[in-house]
Amino acid sequence: MIKLTNLHRVFLTQDVETTALNAINLTVEQGEFLAIMGPSGCGKSTLLSILGMLDSPSSGSFDFAGTDIANYSEKQLAQLRKESIGFIFQSFNLIDELTVAENVELPLQYQNISKEQRKARVSEILKRVAIDHRADHLPQQLSGGQQQRVAVARALVINPKLILADEPTGNLDSKNGEEVMTMLRELNHEGTTVIMVTHSEKEGAYADRLVRLLDGQIMVDKANTVQQNNKVA
């Protein structure tokens, strides 16, 4: 599904050149659950931005679903992003003035889908993440765990090929965090590819595979034996 080959990302500020990603080679198959881990400043967020088509590599190739998109225009990337990728952020990024249902419906308004189809899709997704009883509430009327469920529903409503999660439990207590991670795991079991950035070893244990970055390079790329053992159990 995803193949990065000799990918670099260099940032230039006045006379300073900073290499955020250095010779990244990474393949992600359809249906995998991948955790990207490493210390602050190692390149995790930059890599996730490129995978989410929010940033472009300085050099190297980026194959998505069999097509090299490294030189796509911003318009082409935006279209592919709208059709293929669901984002889950640490800060939820819900719009305060919109209800739960309206927040979830928002990504569908950029697609050629009728109002009736949008409402049906939103209703289905809200039930799937068990937040349908809050459909008419505003975000500030919800707990942190409930807001993250809404964010997950918004990511899922487009039926994405890929979910990108950036520290998805960073603003949650342990109970709500576990619920969100269990939800991601279930979605992955249903066939959705999940790539998650996290600094938490506990969250990383939910993934099938761990990629550890240091100074912009992949130091470890291996199957997650903890998760594999959990599966067997």
PDB file of all heavy atoms in Angstrom, residues 32-37 181 185 196 198 200-212 220-232:
ATOM      1  N   GLU A  32      -2.070  -3.584   7.786  1.00  0.00           N
ATOM      2  CA  GLU A  32      -1.119  -3.582   8.897  1.00  0.00           C
ATOM      3  C   GLU A  32      -1.510  -2.549   9.952  1.00  0.00           C
ATOM      4  O   GLU A  32      -2.221  -1.581   9.681  1.00  0.00           O
ATOM      5  CB  GLU A  32       0.297  -3.258   8.402  1.00  0.00           C
ATOM      6  CG  GLU A  32       1.041  -4.435   7.818  1.00  0.00           C
ATOM      7  CD  GLU A  32       2.546  -4.194   7.754  1.00  0.00           C
ATOM      8  OE1 GLU A  32       2.998  -3.564   6.780  1.00  0.00           O
ATOM      9  OE2 GLU A  32       3.269  -4.644   8.669  1.00  0.00           O
ATOM     10  N   PHE A  33      -1.006  -2.760  11.156  1.00  0.00           N
ATOM     11  CA  PHE A  33      -1.097  -1.781  12.245  1.00  0.00           C
ATOM     12  C   PHE A  33       0.349  -1.506  12.661  1.00  0.00           C
ATOM     13  O   PHE A  33       1.004  -2.340  13.273  1.00  0.00           O
ATOM     14  CB  PHE A  33      -1.907  -2.341  13.411  1.00  0.00           C
ATOM     15  CG  PHE A  33      -2.240  -1.323  14.481  1.00  0.00           C
ATOM     16  CD1 PHE A  33      -3.337  -1.531  15.312  1.00  0.00           C
ATOM     17  CD2 PHE A  33      -1.493  -0.168  14.682  1.00  0.00           C
ATOM     18  CE1 PHE A  33      -3.678  -0.612  16.317  1.00  0.00           C
ATOM     19  CE2 PHE A  33      -1.818   0.760  15.668  1.00  0.00           C
ATOM     20  CZ  PHE A  33      -2.907   0.528  16.484  1.00  0.00           C
ATOM     21  N   LEU A  34       0.820  -0.315  12.299  1.00  0.00           N
ATOM     22  CA  LEU A  34       2.216   0.057  12.484  1.00  0.00           C
ATOM     23  C   LEU A  34       2.327   1.178  13.508  1.00  0.00           C
ATOM     24  O   LEU A  34       1.596   2.161  13.446  1.00  0.00           O
ATOM     25  CB  LEU A  34       2.797   0.527  11.144  1.00  0.00           C
ATOM     26  CG  LEU A  34       4.225   1.063  11.119  1.00  0.00           C
ATOM     27  CD1 LEU A  34       5.212  -0.063  11.359  1.00  0.00           C
ATOM     28  CD2 LEU A  34       4.517   1.729   9.779  1.00  0.00           C
ATOM     29  N   ALA A  35       3.228   1.019  14.468  1.00  0.00           N
ATOM     30  CA  ALA A  35       3.511   2.081  15.436  1.00  0.00           C
ATOM     31  C   ALA A  35       4.886   2.657  15.140  1.00  0.00           C
ATOM     32  O   ALA A  35       5.876   1.919  15.030  1.00  0.00           O
ATOM     33  CB  ALA A  35       3.475   1.531  16.862  1.00  0.00           C
ATOM     34  N   ILE A  36       4.948   3.989  14.995  1.00  0.00           N
ATOM     35  CA  ILE A  36       6.214   4.696  14.793  1.00  0.00           C
ATOM     36  C   ILE A  36       6.585   5.335  16.122  1.00  0.00           C
ATOM     37  O   ILE A  36       5.830   6.140  16.674  1.00  0.00           O
ATOM     38  CB  ILE A  36       6.083   5.766  13.694  1.00  0.00           C
ATOM     39  CG1 ILE A  36       5.666   5.123  12.368  1.00  0.00           C
ATOM     40  CG2 ILE A  36       7.392   6.525  13.528  1.00  0.00           C
ATOM     41  CD1 ILE A  36       5.344   6.126  11.276  1.00  0.00           C
ATOM     42  N   MET A  37       7.762   4.993  16.635  1.00  0.00           N
ATOM     43  CA  MET A  37       8.154   5.415  17.970  1.00  0.00           C
ATOM     44  C   MET A  37       9.549   6.035  17.950  1.00  0.00           C
ATOM     45  O   MET A  37      10.304   5.870  16.997  1.00  0.00           O
ATOM     46  CB  MET A  37       8.113   4.224  18.933  1.00  0.00           C
ATOM     47  CG  MET A  37       6.779   3.494  18.945  1.00  0.00           C
ATOM     48  SD  MET A  37       6.685   2.176  20.176  1.00  0.00           S
ATOM     49  CE  MET A  37       6.627   3.169  21.688  1.00  0.00           C
ATOM     50  N   MET A 181      -7.616   2.942  22.067  1.00  0.00           N
ATOM     51  CA  MET A 181      -6.659   2.001  21.467  1.00  0.00           C
ATOM     52  C   MET A 181      -7.349   0.696  21.087  1.00  0.00           C
ATOM     53  O   MET A 181      -7.059   0.117  20.032  1.00  0.00           O
ATOM     54  CB  MET A 181      -5.503   1.739  22.429  1.00  0.00           C
ATOM     55  CG  MET A 181      -4.575   2.926  22.635  1.00  0.00           C
ATOM     56  SD  MET A 181      -3.956   3.622  21.077  1.00  0.00           S
ATOM     57  CE  MET A 181      -3.208   2.181  20.316  1.00  0.00           C
ATOM     58  N   ARG A 185      -7.627  -0.943  17.350  1.00  0.00           N
ATOM     59  CA  ARG A 185      -7.262  -2.335  17.108  1.00  0.00           C
ATOM     60  C   ARG A 185      -8.407  -3.073  16.409  1.00  0.00           C
ATOM     61  O   ARG A 185      -8.187  -3.855  15.475  1.00  0.00           O
ATOM     62  CB  ARG A 185      -6.922  -3.005  18.442  1.00  0.00           C
ATOM     63  CG  ARG A 185      -6.391  -4.420  18.326  1.00  0.00           C
ATOM     64  CD  ARG A 185      -4.980  -4.437  17.768  1.00  0.00           C
ATOM     65  NE  ARG A 185      -4.829  -5.562  16.869  1.00  0.00           N
ATOM     66  CZ  ARG A 185      -3.794  -5.749  16.065  1.00  0.00           C
ATOM     67  NH1 ARG A 185      -2.811  -4.886  16.026  1.00  0.00           N
ATOM     68  NH2 ARG A 185      -3.729  -6.792  15.295  1.00  0.00           N
ATOM     69  N   MET A 196       0.339   4.707  13.489  1.00  0.00           N
ATOM     70  CA  MET A 196       0.213   5.535  14.689  1.00  0.00           C
ATOM     71  C   MET A 196       1.590   6.006  15.151  1.00  0.00           C
ATOM     72  O   MET A 196       2.541   5.226  15.213  1.00  0.00           O
ATOM     73  CB  MET A 196      -0.436   4.701  15.806  1.00  0.00           C
ATOM     74  CG  MET A 196      -0.441   5.350  17.171  1.00  0.00           C
ATOM     75  SD  MET A 196      -1.194   4.262  18.422  1.00  0.00           S
ATOM     76  CE  MET A 196       0.024   2.925  18.500  1.00  0.00           C
ATOM     77  N   THR A 198       3.528   7.356  18.382  1.00  0.00           N
ATOM     78  CA  THR A 198       3.354   7.381  19.830  1.00  0.00           C
ATOM     79  C   THR A 198       4.713   7.325  20.518  1.00  0.00           C
ATOM     80  O   THR A 198       5.685   6.801  19.969  1.00  0.00           O
ATOM     81  CB  THR A 198       2.481   6.199  20.310  1.00  0.00           C
ATOM     82  OG1 THR A 198       2.328   6.283  21.730  1.00  0.00           O
ATOM     83  CG2 THR A 198       3.108   4.855  19.958  1.00  0.00           C
ATOM     84  N   SER A 200       4.492   6.141  23.679  1.00  0.00           N
ATOM     85  CA  SER A 200       4.082   5.234  24.745  1.00  0.00           C
ATOM     86  C   SER A 200       4.315   3.771  24.366  1.00  0.00           C
ATOM     87  O   SER A 200       3.761   3.279  23.374  1.00  0.00           O
ATOM     88  CB  SER A 200       2.594   5.451  25.060  1.00  0.00           C
ATOM     89  OG  SER A 200       2.079   4.400  25.841  1.00  0.00           O
ATOM     90  N   GLU A 201       5.096   3.070  25.165  1.00  0.00           N
ATOM     91  CA  GLU A 201       5.313   1.644  24.930  1.00  0.00           C
ATOM     92  C   GLU A 201       3.998   0.872  25.084  1.00  0.00           C
ATOM     93  O   GLU A 201       3.758  -0.113  24.385  1.00  0.00           O
ATOM     94  CB  GLU A 201       6.360   1.097  25.906  1.00  0.00           C
ATOM     95  CG  GLU A 201       7.749   1.690  25.740  1.00  0.00           C
ATOM     96  CD  GLU A 201       8.427   1.286  24.430  1.00  0.00           C
ATOM     97  OE1 GLU A 201       8.043   0.240  23.863  1.00  0.00           O
ATOM     98  OE2 GLU A 201       9.330   2.017  23.993  1.00  0.00           O
ATOM     99  N   LYS A 202       3.141   1.331  25.995  1.00  0.00           N
ATOM    100  CA  LYS A 202       1.855   0.668  26.205  1.00  0.00           C
ATOM    101  C   LYS A 202       0.987   0.748  24.953  1.00  0.00           C
ATOM    102  O   LYS A 202       0.373  -0.239  24.544  1.00  0.00           O
ATOM    103  CB  LYS A 202       1.146   1.308  27.398  1.00  0.00           C
ATOM    104  CG  LYS A 202      -0.151   0.617  27.790  1.00  0.00           C
ATOM    105  CD  LYS A 202      -0.750   1.269  29.026  1.00  0.00           C
ATOM    106  CE  LYS A 202      -2.054   0.582  29.433  1.00  0.00           C
ATOM    107  NZ  LYS A 202      -2.660   1.216  30.626  1.00  0.00           N
ATOM    108  N   GLU A 203       0.952   1.929  24.330  1.00  0.00           N
ATOM    109  CA  GLU A 203       0.191   2.068  23.085  1.00  0.00           C
ATOM    110  C   GLU A 203       0.841   1.271  21.963  1.00  0.00           C
ATOM    111  O   GLU A 203       0.170   0.635  21.155  1.00  0.00           O
ATOM    112  CB  GLU A 203       0.100   3.538  22.682  1.00  0.00           C
ATOM    113  CG  GLU A 203      -0.830   4.349  23.546  1.00  0.00           C
ATOM    114  CD  GLU A 203      -0.885   5.804  23.111  1.00  0.00           C
ATOM    115  OE1 GLU A 203      -0.415   6.118  21.998  1.00  0.00           O
ATOM    116  OE2 GLU A 203      -1.386   6.624  23.887  1.00  0.00           O
ATOM    117  N   GLY A 204       2.166   1.313  21.917  1.00  0.00           N
ATOM    118  CA  GLY A 204       2.882   0.578  20.882  1.00  0.00           C
ATOM    119  C   GLY A 204       2.576  -0.905  20.902  1.00  0.00           C
ATOM    120  O   GLY A 204       2.624  -1.580  19.859  1.00  0.00           O
ATOM    121  N   ALA A 205       2.232  -1.450  22.080  1.00  0.00           N
ATOM    122  CA  ALA A 205       1.949  -2.876  22.206  1.00  0.00           C
ATOM    123  C   ALA A 205       0.688  -3.297  21.452  1.00  0.00           C
ATOM    124  O   ALA A 205       0.483  -4.487  21.219  1.00  0.00           O
ATOM    125  CB  ALA A 205       1.828  -3.255  23.681  1.00  0.00           C
ATOM    126  N   TYR A 206      -0.160  -2.336  21.061  1.00  0.00           N
ATOM    127  CA  TYR A 206      -1.353  -2.668  20.293  1.00  0.00           C
ATOM    128  C   TYR A 206      -1.032  -2.936  18.825  1.00  0.00           C
ATOM    129  O   TYR A 206      -1.855  -3.507  18.111  1.00  0.00           O
ATOM    130  CB  TYR A 206      -2.376  -1.527  20.381  1.00  0.00           C
ATOM    131  CG  TYR A 206      -3.126  -1.455  21.681  1.00  0.00           C
ATOM    132  CD1 TYR A 206      -2.582  -0.809  22.785  1.00  0.00           C
ATOM    133  CD2 TYR A 206      -4.394  -2.025  21.823  1.00  0.00           C
ATOM    134  CE1 TYR A 206      -3.271  -0.725  23.996  1.00  0.00           C
ATOM    135  CE2 TYR A 206      -5.089  -1.954  23.024  1.00  0.00           C
ATOM    136  CZ  TYR A 206      -4.519  -1.305  24.100  1.00  0.00           C
ATOM    137  OH  TYR A 206      -5.195  -1.230  25.301  1.00  0.00           O
ATOM    138  N   ALA A 207       0.121  -2.513  18.357  1.00  0.00           N
ATOM    139  CA  ALA A 207       0.469  -2.604  16.938  1.00  0.00           C
ATOM    140  C   ALA A 207       1.061  -3.967  16.588  1.00  0.00           C
ATOM    141  O   ALA A 207       1.600  -4.676  17.441  1.00  0.00           O
ATOM    142  CB  ALA A 207       1.448  -1.498  16.572  1.00  0.00           C
ATOM    143  N   ASP A 208       0.973  -4.301  15.305  1.00  0.00           N
ATOM    144  CA  ASP A 208       1.599  -5.535  14.807  1.00  0.00           C
ATOM    145  C   ASP A 208       3.101  -5.359  14.614  1.00  0.00           C
ATOM    146  O   ASP A 208       3.853  -6.326  14.636  1.00  0.00           O
ATOM    147  CB  ASP A 208       1.023  -5.903  13.424  1.00  0.00           C
ATOM    148  CG  ASP A 208      -0.455  -6.197  13.477  1.00  0.00           C
ATOM    149  OD1 ASP A 208      -0.873  -6.952  14.363  1.00  0.00           O
ATOM    150  OD2 ASP A 208      -1.190  -5.670  12.623  1.00  0.00           O
ATOM    151  N   ARG A 209       3.495  -4.103  14.386  1.00  0.00           N
ATOM    152  CA  ARG A 209       4.870  -3.849  13.952  1.00  0.00           C
ATOM    153  C   ARG A 209       5.346  -2.535  14.534  1.00  0.00           C
ATOM    154  O   ARG A 209       4.583  -1.576  14.620  1.00  0.00           O
ATOM    155  CB  ARG A 209       4.886  -3.794  12.418  1.00  0.00           C
ATOM    156  CG  ARG A 209       6.217  -3.565  11.765  1.00  0.00           C
ATOM    157  CD  ARG A 209       6.029  -3.684  10.266  1.00  0.00           C
ATOM    158  NE  ARG A 209       7.012  -2.962   9.509  1.00  0.00           N
ATOM    159  CZ  ARG A 209       6.805  -2.448   8.303  1.00  0.00           C
ATOM    160  NH1 ARG A 209       5.630  -2.580   7.716  1.00  0.00           N
ATOM    161  NH2 ARG A 209       7.762  -1.799   7.670  1.00  0.00           N
ATOM    162  N   LEU A 210       6.603  -2.504  14.940  1.00  0.00           N
ATOM    163  CA  LEU A 210       7.200  -1.312  15.521  1.00  0.00           C
ATOM    164  C   LEU A 210       8.322  -0.787  14.631  1.00  0.00           C
ATOM    165  O   LEU A 210       9.193  -1.551  14.210  1.00  0.00           O
ATOM    166  CB  LEU A 210       7.778  -1.616  16.907  1.00  0.00           C
ATOM    167  CG  LEU A 210       6.788  -2.070  17.996  1.00  0.00           C
ATOM    168  CD1 LEU A 210       7.545  -2.389  19.280  1.00  0.00           C
ATOM    169  CD2 LEU A 210       5.738  -1.004  18.242  1.00  0.00           C
ATOM    170  N   VAL A 211       8.291   0.508  14.358  1.00  0.00           N
ATOM    171  CA  VAL A 211       9.380   1.198  13.674  1.00  0.00           C
ATOM    172  C   VAL A 211       9.907   2.256  14.633  1.00  0.00           C
ATOM    173  O   VAL A 211       9.145   3.107  15.094  1.00  0.00           O
ATOM    174  CB  VAL A 211       8.905   1.847  12.357  1.00  0.00           C
ATOM    175  CG1 VAL A 211       9.975   2.778  11.796  1.00  0.00           C
ATOM    176  CG2 VAL A 211       8.552   0.780  11.334  1.00  0.00           C
ATOM    177  N   ARG A 212      11.193   2.171  14.953  1.00  0.00           N
ATOM    178  CA  ARG A 212      11.796   3.130  15.887  1.00  0.00           C
ATOM    179  C   ARG A 212      12.755   4.041  15.125  1.00  0.00           C
ATOM    180  O   ARG A 212      13.633   3.558  14.396  1.00  0.00           O
ATOM    181  CB  ARG A 212      12.519   2.399  17.018  1.00  0.00           C
ATOM    182  CG  ARG A 212      11.574   1.572  17.894  1.00  0.00           C
ATOM    183  CD  ARG A 212      12.299   0.957  19.080  1.00  0.00           C
ATOM    184  NE  ARG A 212      11.432   0.062  19.837  1.00  0.00           N
ATOM    185  CZ  ARG A 212      10.630   0.443  20.822  1.00  0.00           C
ATOM    186  NH1 ARG A 212      10.595   1.719  21.194  1.00  0.00           N
ATOM    187  NH2 ARG A 212       9.871  -0.433  21.466  1.00  0.00           N
ATOM    188  N   VAL A 220      15.112   0.589  14.003  1.00  0.00           N
ATOM    189  CA  VAL A 220      14.496  -0.719  14.235  1.00  0.00           C
ATOM    190  C   VAL A 220      13.220  -0.800  13.411  1.00  0.00           C
ATOM    191  O   VAL A 220      12.444   0.152  13.374  1.00  0.00           O
ATOM    192  CB  VAL A 220      14.164  -0.929  15.731  1.00  0.00           C
ATOM    193  CG1 VAL A 220      13.395  -2.235  15.937  1.00  0.00           C
ATOM    194  CG2 VAL A 220      15.411  -0.907  16.586  1.00  0.00           C
ATOM    195  N   ASP A 221      13.011  -1.921  12.752  1.00  0.00           N
ATOM    196  CA  ASP A 221      11.761  -2.189  12.040  1.00  0.00           C
ATOM    197  C   ASP A 221      11.491  -3.679  12.203  1.00  0.00           C
ATOM    198  O   ASP A 221      12.129  -4.511  11.566  1.00  0.00           O
ATOM    199  CB  ASP A 221      11.897  -1.811  10.558  1.00  0.00           C
ATOM    200  CG  ASP A 221      10.585  -1.996   9.793  1.00  0.00           C
ATOM    201  OD1 ASP A 221       9.641  -2.594  10.350  1.00  0.00           O
ATOM    202  OD2 ASP A 221      10.513  -1.548   8.630  1.00  0.00           O
ATOM    203  N   LYS A 222      10.563  -4.016  13.091  1.00  0.00           N
ATOM    204  CA  LYS A 222      10.373  -5.438  13.401  1.00  0.00           C
ATOM    205  C   LYS A 222       8.937  -5.714  13.802  1.00  0.00           C
ATOM    206  O   LYS A 222       8.190  -4.815  14.198  1.00  0.00           O
ATOM    207  CB  LYS A 222      11.311  -5.856  14.533  1.00  0.00           C
ATOM    208  CG  LYS A 222      11.001  -5.198  15.871  1.00  0.00           C
ATOM    209  CD  LYS A 222      11.905  -5.721  16.976  1.00  0.00           C
ATOM    210  CE  LYS A 222      11.524  -5.128  18.334  1.00  0.00           C
ATOM    211  NZ  LYS A 222      12.360  -5.667  19.422  1.00  0.00           N
ATOM    212  N   ALA A 223       8.553  -6.979  13.710  1.00  0.00           N
ATOM    213  CA  ALA A 223       7.251  -7.401  14.199  1.00  0.00           C
ATOM    214  C   ALA A 223       7.197  -7.199  15.705  1.00  0.00           C
ATOM    215  O   ALA A 223       8.196  -7.363  16.408  1.00  0.00           O
ATOM    216  CB  ALA A 223       7.014  -8.867  13.848  1.00  0.00           C
ATOM    217  N   ASN A 224       6.023  -6.830  16.190  1.00  0.00           N
ATOM    218  CA  ASN A 224       5.839  -6.593  17.613  1.00  0.00           C
ATOM    219  C   ASN A 224       5.523  -7.915  18.299  1.00  0.00           C
ATOM    220  O   ASN A 224       4.396  -8.407  18.227  1.00  0.00           O
ATOM    221  CB  ASN A 224       4.705  -5.590  17.825  1.00  0.00           C
ATOM    222  CG  ASN A 224       4.546  -5.195  19.273  1.00  0.00           C
ATOM    223  OD1 ASN A 224       5.261  -5.683  20.152  1.00  0.00           O
ATOM    224  ND2 ASN A 224       3.609  -4.305  19.537  1.00  0.00           N
ATOM    225  N   THR A 225       6.503  -8.507  18.937  1.00  0.00           N
ATOM    226  CA  THR A 225       6.318  -9.825  19.551  1.00  0.00           C
ATOM    227  C   THR A 225       5.331  -9.772  20.703  1.00  0.00           C
ATOM    228  O   THR A 225       4.628 -10.745  20.965  1.00  0.00           O
ATOM    229  CB  THR A 225       7.658 -10.379  20.054  1.00  0.00           C
ATOM    230  OG1 THR A 225       8.275  -9.414  20.930  1.00  0.00           O
ATOM    231  CG2 THR A 225       8.584 -10.658  18.884  1.00  0.00           C
ATOM    232  N   VAL A 226       5.227  -8.636  21.371  1.00  0.00           N
ATOM    233  CA  VAL A 226       4.254  -8.516  22.464  1.00  0.00           C
ATOM    234  C   VAL A 226       2.851  -8.655  21.910  1.00  0.00           C
ATOM    235  O   VAL A 226       2.031  -9.424  22.403  1.00  0.00           O
ATOM    236  CB  VAL A 226       4.406  -7.153  23.194  1.00  0.00           C
ATOM    237  CG1 VAL A 226       3.286  -6.986  24.213  1.00  0.00           C
ATOM    238  CG2 VAL A 226       5.762  -7.062  23.856  1.00  0.00           C
ATOM    239  N   GLN A 227       2.561  -7.919  20.821  1.00  0.00           N
ATOM    240  CA  GLN A 227       1.231  -7.995  20.216  1.00  0.00           C
ATOM    241  C   GLN A 227       0.991  -9.365  19.621  1.00  0.00           C
ATOM    242  O   GLN A 227      -0.096  -9.928  19.720  1.00  0.00           O
ATOM    243  CB  GLN A 227       1.084  -6.921  19.127  1.00  0.00           C
ATOM    244  CG  GLN A 227      -0.252  -6.946  18.414  1.00  0.00           C
ATOM    245  CD  GLN A 227      -1.413  -6.704  19.338  1.00  0.00           C
ATOM    246  OE1 GLN A 227      -1.337  -5.863  20.218  1.00  0.00           O
ATOM    247  NE2 GLN A 227      -2.483  -7.451  19.194  1.00  0.00           N
ATOM    248  N   GLN A 228       2.018  -9.937  18.980  1.00  0.00           N
ATOM    249  CA  GLN A 228       1.856 -11.253  18.394  1.00  0.00           C
ATOM    250  C   GLN A 228       1.508 -12.279  19.458  1.00  0.00           C
ATOM    251  O   GLN A 228       0.662 -13.131  19.275  1.00  0.00           O
ATOM    252  CB  GLN A 228       3.157 -11.674  17.671  1.00  0.00           C
ATOM    253  CG  GLN A 228       3.527 -10.794  16.487  1.00  0.00           C
ATOM    254  CD  GLN A 228       2.488 -10.850  15.382  1.00  0.00           C
ATOM    255  OE1 GLN A 228       1.778 -11.828  15.236  1.00  0.00           O
ATOM    256  NE2 GLN A 228       2.368  -9.794  14.599  1.00  0.00           N
ATOM    257  N   ASN A 229       2.163 -12.170  20.631  1.00  0.00           N
ATOM    258  CA  ASN A 229       1.855 -13.090  21.715  1.00  0.00           C
ATOM    259  C   ASN A 229       0.440 -12.890  22.224  1.00  0.00           C
ATOM    260  O   ASN A 229      -0.260 -13.828  22.561  1.00  0.00           O
ATOM    261  CB  ASN A 229       2.854 -12.895  22.868  1.00  0.00           C
ATOM    262  CG  ASN A 229       4.242 -13.404  22.498  1.00  0.00           C
ATOM    263  OD1 ASN A 229       4.379 -14.213  21.605  1.00  0.00           O
ATOM    264  ND2 ASN A 229       5.253 -12.909  23.206  1.00  0.00           N
ATOM    265  N   ASN A 230       0.012 -11.597  22.264  1.00  0.00           N
ATOM    266  CA  ASN A 230      -1.351 -11.312  22.709  1.00  0.00           C
ATOM    267  C   ASN A 230      -2.375 -11.936  21.761  1.00  0.00           C
ATOM    268  O   ASN A 230      -3.421 -12.408  22.171  1.00  0.00           O
ATOM    269  CB  ASN A 230      -1.583  -9.798  22.780  1.00  0.00           C
ATOM    270  CG  ASN A 230      -0.922  -9.183  23.986  1.00  0.00           C
ATOM    271  OD1 ASN A 230      -0.540  -9.881  24.921  1.00  0.00           O
ATOM    272  ND2 ASN A 230      -0.766  -7.861  23.973  1.00  0.00           N
ATOM    273  N   LYS A 231      -2.053 -11.900  20.463  1.00  0.00           N
ATOM    274  CA  LYS A 231      -2.961 -12.480  19.477  1.00  0.00           C
ATOM    275  C   LYS A 231      -3.123 -13.985  19.701  1.00  0.00           C
ATOM    276  O   LYS A 231      -4.202 -14.531  19.643  1.00  0.00           O
ATOM    277  CB  LYS A 231      -2.423 -12.242  18.060  1.00  0.00           C
ATOM    278  CG  LYS A 231      -2.668 -10.867  17.527  1.00  0.00           C
ATOM    279  CD  LYS A 231      -2.146 -10.833  16.106  1.00  0.00           C
ATOM    280  CE  LYS A 231      -2.400  -9.482  15.488  1.00  0.00           C
ATOM    281  NZ  LYS A 231      -1.899  -9.433  14.112  1.00  0.00           N
ATOM    282  N   VAL A 232      -1.976 -14.636  19.948  1.00  0.00           N
ATOM    283  CA  VAL A 232      -2.007 -16.081  20.160  1.00  0.00           C
ATOM    284  C   VAL A 232      -2.828 -16.405  21.391  1.00  0.00           C
ATOM    285  O   VAL A 232      -3.626 -17.336  21.430  1.00  0.00           O
ATOM    286  CB  VAL A 232      -0.567 -16.644  20.318  1.00  0.00           C
ATOM    287  CG1 VAL A 232      -0.608 -18.097  20.737  1.00  0.00           C
ATOM    288  CG2 VAL A 232       0.187 -16.506  19.009  1.00  0.00           C
TER     289      VAL A 232
END
